[in-house]
Amino acid sequence: MITEEDLAQQFNVIIEHAHPQVWELLRQCYVKAINPKPYLTRANIKTCIRHARYIGIYCPDRLISAVVEQKNLLKEVAEYVGLVEVVCLNANNLMRDPLSNIKQNYPHLWLDLLWIVTQEK
């Protein structure tokens, strides 16, 4: 079975080799393949999307607009590796959110986000 880490790694490798300008942006972000909980997936009359993995790109404030501009290209690569969508998230906003429970529930993710928001170009 292919794990979320494997999918994120494949996504990063393709971007790095095929689109070096976009890679310069993404290497400053935290890229994670996300598998939503079954109760969060939507059911359509014709199809039922189960385990629809997507790619989450956590960007610092200074890069979010540049990454969003490349979203169509990122979505093409995500679909190539079997992911359905690309979601760009502002890491600075997540770190400042007083209601966020990332630090308690996902301490490793919280540390990674703290690292990317404190780095300068």
Side-chain angles (χ1 to χ4, degrees), residues 63-82:
L63 294 178
I64 191 81
S65 62
V67 173
V68 170
E69 286 177 9
Q70 300 297 327
K71 192 168 179 180
N72 288 335
L73 172 73
L74 297 170
K75 187 172 180 179
E76 286 179 25
V77 175
E79 289 173 352
Y80 180 76
V81 296

Side-chain angles (χ1 to χ4, degrees), residues 41-107:
T41 58
R42 295 182 180 185
N44 189 335
I45 295 174
K46 294 182 180 178
T47 61
C48 181
I49 302 173
R50 291 197 162 270
H51 308 294
R53 295 178 179 164
Y54 59 94
I55 204 86
I57 302 174
Y58 299 87
C59 307
D61 274 339
R62 60 187 165 75
L63 294 178
I64 191 81
S65 62
V67 173
V68 170
E69 286 177 9
Q70 300 297 327
K71 192 168 179 180
N72 288 335
L73 172 73
L74 297 170
K75 187 172 180 179
E76 286 179 25
V77 175
E79 289 173 352
Y80 180 76
V81 296
L83 302 165
V84 296
E85 187 61 64
V86 174
V87 178
C88 299
L89 302 160
N90 189 320
N92 290 76
N93 290 349
L94 286 172
M95 298 302 290
R96 283 182 275 193
D97 185 0
L99 299 177
S100 174
N101 58 3
I102 292 176
K103 186 175 182 179
Q104 294 80 20
N105 294 343
Y106 306 100

